[in-house]
Amino acid sequence: MRIKITIRCKHCGEKFVLRGKREKGRIETGFKQCLCDNRDDFIIEELPV
Ligand SMILES: [Zn+2]
């Protein structure tokens, strides 16, 4: 199932819009980290494509 995902960094406020897919209850995006080196602290929103 393909989905669109918005990731907002809680540290610097940077926003990323990515395409990903939902597999077995978890979301795959390939997103690694923010520009500010934050890897864990994000607000993740799932959007319908
Ligand atoms: Zn950031």
PDB file of all heavy atoms in Angstrom, residues 6-16 31 33-44:
ATOM      1  N   THR A   6       4.311  12.988   5.632  1.00  0.00           N
ATOM      2  CA  THR A   6       4.931  14.255   5.999  1.00  0.00           C
ATOM      3  C   THR A   6       5.697  14.053   7.298  1.00  0.00           C
ATOM      4  O   THR A   6       5.146  13.566   8.273  1.00  0.00           O
ATOM      5  CB  THR A   6       3.872  15.347   6.210  1.00  0.00           C
ATOM      6  OG1 THR A   6       3.112  15.482   5.024  1.00  0.00           O
ATOM      7  CG2 THR A   6       4.521  16.678   6.526  1.00  0.00           C
ATOM      8  N   ILE A   7       6.958  14.409   7.275  1.00  0.00           N
ATOM      9  CA  ILE A   7       7.787  14.294   8.469  1.00  0.00           C
ATOM     10  C   ILE A   7       8.226  15.694   8.874  1.00  0.00           C
ATOM     11  O   ILE A   7       8.813  16.416   8.077  1.00  0.00           O
ATOM     12  CB  ILE A   7       9.021  13.416   8.188  1.00  0.00           C
ATOM     13  CG1 ILE A   7       8.579  11.998   7.812  1.00  0.00           C
ATOM     14  CG2 ILE A   7       9.951  13.385   9.398  1.00  0.00           C
ATOM     15  CD1 ILE A   7       9.721  11.088   7.422  1.00  0.00           C
ATOM     16  N   ARG A   8       7.922  16.056  10.112  1.00  0.00           N
ATOM     17  CA  ARG A   8       8.364  17.358  10.611  1.00  0.00           C
ATOM     18  C   ARG A   8       9.333  17.151  11.756  1.00  0.00           C
ATOM     19  O   ARG A   8       9.047  16.421  12.692  1.00  0.00           O
ATOM     20  CB  ARG A   8       7.160  18.194  11.065  1.00  0.00           C
ATOM     21  CG  ARG A   8       7.561  19.611  11.416  1.00  0.00           C
ATOM     22  CD  ARG A   8       6.414  20.386  11.987  1.00  0.00           C
ATOM     23  NE  ARG A   8       5.381  20.632  11.005  1.00  0.00           N
ATOM     24  CZ  ARG A   8       5.395  21.680  10.163  1.00  0.00           C
ATOM     25  NH1 ARG A   8       6.366  22.538  10.203  1.00  0.00           N
ATOM     26  NH2 ARG A   8       4.427  21.838   9.306  1.00  0.00           N
ATOM     27  N   CYS A   9      10.456  17.794  11.645  1.00  0.00           N
ATOM     28  CA  CYS A   9      11.485  17.686  12.674  1.00  0.00           C
ATOM     29  C   CYS A   9      11.089  18.530  13.888  1.00  0.00           C
ATOM     30  O   CYS A   9      10.742  19.692  13.745  1.00  0.00           O
ATOM     31  CB  CYS A   9      12.810  18.179  12.105  1.00  0.00           C
ATOM     32  SG  CYS A   9      14.149  18.145  13.304  1.00  0.00           S
ATOM     33  N   LYS A  10      11.140  17.932  15.066  1.00  0.00           N
ATOM     34  CA  LYS A  10      10.792  18.668  16.289  1.00  0.00           C
ATOM     35  C   LYS A  10      11.921  19.572  16.742  1.00  0.00           C
ATOM     36  O   LYS A  10      11.741  20.410  17.609  1.00  0.00           O
ATOM     37  CB  LYS A  10      10.462  17.685  17.417  1.00  0.00           C
ATOM     38  CG  LYS A  10       9.135  16.987  17.252  1.00  0.00           C
ATOM     39  CD  LYS A  10       8.824  16.228  18.528  1.00  0.00           C
ATOM     40  CE  LYS A  10       7.649  15.294  18.355  1.00  0.00           C
ATOM     41  NZ  LYS A  10       7.460  14.472  19.574  1.00  0.00           N
ATOM     42  N   HIS A  11      13.100  19.391  16.188  1.00  0.00           N
ATOM     43  CA  HIS A  11      14.244  20.203  16.609  1.00  0.00           C
ATOM     44  C   HIS A  11      14.343  21.500  15.813  1.00  0.00           C
ATOM     45  O   HIS A  11      14.425  22.566  16.381  1.00  0.00           O
ATOM     46  CB  HIS A  11      15.538  19.401  16.473  1.00  0.00           C
ATOM     47  CG  HIS A  11      15.616  18.259  17.446  1.00  0.00           C
ATOM     48  ND1 HIS A  11      16.784  17.586  17.697  1.00  0.00           N
ATOM     49  CD2 HIS A  11      14.665  17.684  18.229  1.00  0.00           C
ATOM     50  CE1 HIS A  11      16.550  16.631  18.604  1.00  0.00           C
ATOM     51  NE2 HIS A  11      15.281  16.667  18.934  1.00  0.00           N
ATOM     52  N   CYS A  12      14.322  21.394  14.509  1.00  0.00           N
ATOM     53  CA  CYS A  12      14.538  22.592  13.696  1.00  0.00           C
ATOM     54  C   CYS A  12      13.295  23.003  12.898  1.00  0.00           C
ATOM     55  O   CYS A  12      13.287  24.060  12.288  1.00  0.00           O
ATOM     56  CB  CYS A  12      15.721  22.385  12.752  1.00  0.00           C
ATOM     57  SG  CYS A  12      15.405  21.206  11.438  1.00  0.00           S
ATOM     58  N   GLY A  13      12.257  22.178  12.898  1.00  0.00           N
ATOM     59  CA  GLY A  13      11.024  22.544  12.212  1.00  0.00           C
ATOM     60  C   GLY A  13      11.008  22.246  10.724  1.00  0.00           C
ATOM     61  O   GLY A  13      10.029  22.523  10.043  1.00  0.00           O
ATOM     62  N   GLU A  14      12.067  21.681  10.207  1.00  0.00           N
ATOM     63  CA  GLU A  14      12.136  21.322   8.787  1.00  0.00           C
ATOM     64  C   GLU A  14      11.059  20.291   8.460  1.00  0.00           C
ATOM     65  O   GLU A  14      10.778  19.403   9.249  1.00  0.00           O
ATOM     66  CB  GLU A  14      13.523  20.747   8.481  1.00  0.00           C
ATOM     67  CG  GLU A  14      13.801  20.513   7.021  1.00  0.00           C
ATOM     68  CD  GLU A  14      13.979  21.800   6.229  1.00  0.00           C
ATOM     69  OE1 GLU A  14      14.526  22.764   6.780  1.00  0.00           O
ATOM     70  OE2 GLU A  14      13.555  21.831   5.065  1.00  0.00           O
ATOM     71  N   LYS A  15      10.479  20.427   7.265  1.00  0.00           N
ATOM     72  CA  LYS A  15       9.408  19.525   6.870  1.00  0.00           C
ATOM     73  C   LYS A  15       9.802  18.773   5.608  1.00  0.00           C
ATOM     74  O   LYS A  15      10.335  19.358   4.673  1.00  0.00           O
ATOM     75  CB  LYS A  15       8.155  20.363   6.623  1.00  0.00           C
ATOM     76  CG  LYS A  15       6.892  19.564   6.486  1.00  0.00           C
ATOM     77  CD  LYS A  15       5.735  20.545   6.360  1.00  0.00           C
ATOM     78  CE  LYS A  15       4.566  19.896   5.657  1.00  0.00           C
ATOM     79  NZ  LYS A  15       3.538  20.889   5.315  1.00  0.00           N
ATOM     80  N   PHE A  16       9.534  17.490   5.598  1.00  0.00           N
ATOM     81  CA  PHE A  16       9.852  16.648   4.446  1.00  0.00           C
ATOM     82  C   PHE A  16       8.602  15.934   3.998  1.00  0.00           C
ATOM     83  O   PHE A  16       7.853  15.419   4.820  1.00  0.00           O
ATOM     84  CB  PHE A  16      10.895  15.591   4.823  1.00  0.00           C
ATOM     85  CG  PHE A  16      12.154  16.151   5.414  1.00  0.00           C
ATOM     86  CD1 PHE A  16      12.267  16.361   6.770  1.00  0.00           C
ATOM     87  CD2 PHE A  16      13.217  16.495   4.592  1.00  0.00           C
ATOM     88  CE1 PHE A  16      13.423  16.896   7.320  1.00  0.00           C
ATOM     89  CE2 PHE A  16      14.379  17.025   5.127  1.00  0.00           C
ATOM     90  CZ  PHE A  16      14.480  17.225   6.488  1.00  0.00           C
ATOM     91  N   PHE A  31      13.666   7.382   4.798  1.00  0.00           N
ATOM     92  CA  PHE A  31      14.134   8.596   5.463  1.00  0.00           C
ATOM     93  C   PHE A  31      15.150   8.232   6.537  1.00  0.00           C
ATOM     94  O   PHE A  31      14.933   7.339   7.331  1.00  0.00           O
ATOM     95  CB  PHE A  31      12.938   9.319   6.085  1.00  0.00           C
ATOM     96  CG  PHE A  31      13.287  10.623   6.744  1.00  0.00           C
ATOM     97  CD1 PHE A  31      13.444  11.770   5.994  1.00  0.00           C
ATOM     98  CD2 PHE A  31      13.456  10.693   8.118  1.00  0.00           C
ATOM     99  CE1 PHE A  31      13.769  12.971   6.605  1.00  0.00           C
ATOM    100  CE2 PHE A  31      13.778  11.895   8.735  1.00  0.00           C
ATOM    101  CZ  PHE A  31      13.930  13.029   7.972  1.00  0.00           C
ATOM    102  N   GLN A  33      17.609  10.822   8.315  1.00  0.00           N
ATOM    103  CA  GLN A  33      17.743  11.823   9.362  1.00  0.00           C
ATOM    104  C   GLN A  33      17.497  13.206   8.795  1.00  0.00           C
ATOM    105  O   GLN A  33      17.521  13.405   7.589  1.00  0.00           O
ATOM    106  CB  GLN A  33      19.137  11.765   9.980  1.00  0.00           C
ATOM    107  CG  GLN A  33      20.237  12.154   8.993  1.00  0.00           C
ATOM    108  CD  GLN A  33      21.600  12.159   9.669  1.00  0.00           C
ATOM    109  OE1 GLN A  33      22.020  11.158  10.219  1.00  0.00           O
ATOM    110  NE2 GLN A  33      22.275  13.294   9.623  1.00  0.00           N
ATOM    111  N   CYS A  34      17.288  14.141   9.714  1.00  0.00           N
ATOM    112  CA  CYS A  34      17.073  15.517   9.311  1.00  0.00           C
ATOM    113  C   CYS A  34      18.400  16.196   8.989  1.00  0.00           C
ATOM    114  O   CYS A  34      19.473  15.692   9.300  1.00  0.00           O
ATOM    115  CB  CYS A  34      16.362  16.255  10.439  1.00  0.00           C
ATOM    116  SG  CYS A  34      15.992  17.955  10.036  1.00  0.00           S
ATOM    117  N   LEU A  35      18.298  17.367   8.395  1.00  0.00           N
ATOM    118  CA  LEU A  35      19.486  18.173   8.091  1.00  0.00           C
ATOM    119  C   LEU A  35      20.256  18.558   9.354  1.00  0.00           C
ATOM    120  O   LEU A  35      21.456  18.792   9.309  1.00  0.00           O
ATOM    121  CB  LEU A  35      19.058  19.456   7.365  1.00  0.00           C
ATOM    122  CG  LEU A  35      18.253  19.269   6.082  1.00  0.00           C
ATOM    123  CD1 LEU A  35      17.761  20.617   5.581  1.00  0.00           C
ATOM    124  CD2 LEU A  35      19.066  18.567   5.028  1.00  0.00           C
ATOM    125  N   CYS A  36      19.534  18.601  10.486  1.00  0.00           N
ATOM    126  CA  CYS A  36      20.166  19.004  11.741  1.00  0.00           C
ATOM    127  C   CYS A  36      20.681  17.800  12.535  1.00  0.00           C
ATOM    128  O   CYS A  36      20.979  17.912  13.713  1.00  0.00           O
ATOM    129  CB  CYS A  36      19.178  19.805  12.588  1.00  0.00           C
ATOM    130  SG  CYS A  36      17.795  18.835  13.217  1.00  0.00           S
ATOM    131  N   ASP A  37      20.754  16.631  11.895  1.00  0.00           N
ATOM    132  CA  ASP A  37      21.266  15.397  12.512  1.00  0.00           C
ATOM    133  C   ASP A  37      20.302  14.714  13.478  1.00  0.00           C
ATOM    134  O   ASP A  37      20.649  13.730  14.091  1.00  0.00           O
ATOM    135  CB  ASP A  37      22.614  15.605  13.223  1.00  0.00           C
ATOM    136  CG  ASP A  37      23.741  15.904  12.235  1.00  0.00           C
ATOM    137  OD1 ASP A  37      23.592  15.516  11.061  1.00  0.00           O
ATOM    138  OD2 ASP A  37      24.729  16.510  12.629  1.00  0.00           O
ATOM    139  N   ASN A  38      19.118  15.238  13.608  1.00  0.00           N
ATOM    140  CA  ASN A  38      18.096  14.563  14.402  1.00  0.00           C
ATOM    141  C   ASN A  38      17.659  13.280  13.680  1.00  0.00           C
ATOM    142  O   ASN A  38      17.362  13.305  12.491  1.00  0.00           O
ATOM    143  CB  ASN A  38      16.909  15.518  14.564  1.00  0.00           C
ATOM    144  CG  ASN A  38      15.707  14.864  15.190  1.00  0.00           C
ATOM    145  OD1 ASN A  38      15.817  13.878  15.896  1.00  0.00           O
ATOM    146  ND2 ASN A  38      14.544  15.437  14.925  1.00  0.00           N
ATOM    147  N   ARG A  39      17.604  12.185  14.410  1.00  0.00           N
ATOM    148  CA  ARG A  39      17.185  10.913  13.812  1.00  0.00           C
ATOM    149  C   ARG A  39      15.914  10.352  14.438  1.00  0.00           C
ATOM    150  O   ARG A  39      15.324   9.421  13.908  1.00  0.00           O
ATOM    151  CB  ARG A  39      18.279   9.848  14.013  1.00  0.00           C
ATOM    152  CG  ARG A  39      19.501  10.060  13.155  1.00  0.00           C
ATOM    153  CD  ARG A  39      20.623   9.176  13.672  1.00  0.00           C
ATOM    154  NE  ARG A  39      21.845   9.408  12.920  1.00  0.00           N
ATOM    155  CZ  ARG A  39      22.218   8.650  11.883  1.00  0.00           C
ATOM    156  NH1 ARG A  39      21.494   7.636  11.505  1.00  0.00           N
ATOM    157  NH2 ARG A  39      23.329   8.918  11.240  1.00  0.00           N
ATOM    158  N   ASP A  40      15.534  10.854  15.591  1.00  0.00           N
ATOM    159  CA  ASP A  40      14.473  10.187  16.344  1.00  0.00           C
ATOM    160  C   ASP A  40      13.249  11.022  16.665  1.00  0.00           C
ATOM    161  O   ASP A  40      12.192  10.480  16.927  1.00  0.00           O
ATOM    162  CB  ASP A  40      15.043   9.696  17.688  1.00  0.00           C
ATOM    163  CG  ASP A  40      16.242   8.803  17.488  1.00  0.00           C
ATOM    164  OD1 ASP A  40      16.116   7.829  16.739  1.00  0.00           O
ATOM    165  OD2 ASP A  40      17.298   9.100  18.071  1.00  0.00           O
ATOM    166  N   ASP A  41      13.420  12.324  16.654  1.00  0.00           N
ATOM    167  CA  ASP A  41      12.378  13.170  17.204  1.00  0.00           C
ATOM    168  C   ASP A  41      11.582  13.867  16.107  1.00  0.00           C
ATOM    169  O   ASP A  41      11.896  14.983  15.701  1.00  0.00           O
ATOM    170  CB  ASP A  41      13.056  14.200  18.119  1.00  0.00           C
ATOM    171  CG  ASP A  41      12.233  14.502  19.352  1.00  0.00           C
ATOM    172  OD1 ASP A  41      11.179  13.874  19.535  1.00  0.00           O
ATOM    173  OD2 ASP A  41      12.648  15.383  20.122  1.00  0.00           O
ATOM    174  N   PHE A  42      10.566  13.168  15.597  1.00  0.00           N
ATOM    175  CA  PHE A  42       9.786  13.700  14.487  1.00  0.00           C
ATOM    176  C   PHE A  42       8.292  13.577  14.732  1.00  0.00           C
ATOM    177  O   PHE A  42       7.841  12.703  15.457  1.00  0.00           O
ATOM    178  CB  PHE A  42      10.100  12.922  13.199  1.00  0.00           C
ATOM    179  CG  PHE A  42      11.531  13.010  12.774  1.00  0.00           C
ATOM    180  CD1 PHE A  42      12.401  11.973  13.041  1.00  0.00           C
ATOM    181  CD2 PHE A  42      11.999  14.131  12.120  1.00  0.00           C
ATOM    182  CE1 PHE A  42      13.745  12.060  12.657  1.00  0.00           C
ATOM    183  CE2 PHE A  42      13.327  14.215  11.740  1.00  0.00           C
ATOM    184  CZ  PHE A  42      14.199  13.179  12.003  1.00  0.00           C
ATOM    185  N   ILE A  43       7.563  14.464  14.073  1.00  0.00           N
ATOM    186  CA  ILE A  43       6.110  14.301  13.991  1.00  0.00           C
ATOM    187  C   ILE A  43       5.835  13.720  12.614  1.00  0.00           C
ATOM    188  O   ILE A  43       6.191  14.324  11.600  1.00  0.00           O
ATOM    189  CB  ILE A  43       5.399  15.663  14.135  1.00  0.00           C
ATOM    190  CG1 ILE A  43       5.714  16.280  15.496  1.00  0.00           C
ATOM    191  CG2 ILE A  43       3.896  15.495  13.939  1.00  0.00           C
ATOM    192  CD1 ILE A  43       5.380  17.761  15.573  1.00  0.00           C
ATOM    193  N   ILE A  44       5.229  12.549  12.571  1.00  0.00           N
ATOM    194  CA  ILE A  44       4.995  11.885  11.298  1.00  0.00           C
ATOM    195  C   ILE A  44       3.512  11.832  11.000  1.00  0.00           C
ATOM    196  O   ILE A  44       2.725  11.384  11.830  1.00  0.00           O
ATOM    197  CB  ILE A  44       5.586  10.459  11.314  1.00  0.00           C
ATOM    198  CG1 ILE A  44       7.100  10.547  11.538  1.00  0.00           C
ATOM    199  CG2 ILE A  44       5.270   9.740  10.002  1.00  0.00           C
ATOM    200  CD1 ILE A  44       7.780   9.219  11.701  1.00  0.00           C
TER     201      ILE A  44
END
